[in-house]
Amino acid sequence: QVQLVESGGGLVQAGGSLRLSCAASGGIFSINTMGWYRQAPGKQRELVAVITSGGSTNYADSVKGRFTISRDNAKNTVYLQMNGLKPEDTAVYYCHVGWGGVRDFHSWGRGTQVTVSS
């Protein structure tokens, strides 16, 4: 069974940094995209950043220049380096993986809380 295990969330002051990690395991194969989404209380889940198997990246406008997504294909792991954190970045952050090649499976992590205090 595919598992996505997230780590690295926590409480940080505004201007601080956090690094999120998400490791995929359990029979996952042919990973295409890996990404991070977030959901703040009372809001819809939104894309934060995504990275393709070829290394192309895409970011939400609100995090450009502050967040960096990367991946280690050998470890089936995706990272999100978050610098210059703002209170509005407070949310539950979810890892997402698209995998299986043409079978196009999608898996989600359980989420990790990021809280930025002002």
Side-chain angles (χ1 to χ4, degrees), residues 36-101:
W36 293 93
Y37 290 70
R38 67 186 181 188
Q39 187 167 17
K43 294 188 177 182
Q44 290 188 331
R45 190 173 297 188
E46 63 176 0
L47 173 69
V48 177
V50 64
I51 184 167
T52 69
S53 57
S56 297
T57 58
N58 190 35
Y59 295 92
D61 287 342
S62 59
V63 307
K64 283 180 181 177
R66 299 188 297 123
F67 291 8
T68 302
I69 190 170
S70 61
R71 62 191 280 175
D72 184 333
N73 291 329
K75 296 181 179 179
N76 287 344
T77 299
V78 62
Y79 306 96
L80 186 68
Q81 179 66 44
M82 304 185 293
N83 298 329
L85 282 160
K86 304 175 181 180
E88 51 263 45
D89 294 318
T90 295
V92 178
Y93 284 69
Y94 296 91
C95 175
H96 170 267
V97 175
W99 60 280

Side-chain angles (χ1 to χ4, degrees), residues 29-33 96-107:
F29 62 93
S30 297
I31 294 177
N32 298 317
T33 59
H96 170 267
V97 175
W99 60 280
V102 296
R103 300 183 73 178
D104 195 26
F105 297 124
H106 295 266
S107 296

Side-chain angles (χ1 to χ4, degrees), residues 12-37:
V12 65
Q13 289 188 331
S17 298
L18 286 173
R19 189 190 193 212
L20 305 183
S21 299
C22 172
S25 62
I28 201 167
F29 62 93
S30 297
I31 294 177
N32 298 317
T33 59
M34 305 184 83
W36 293 93
Y37 290 70

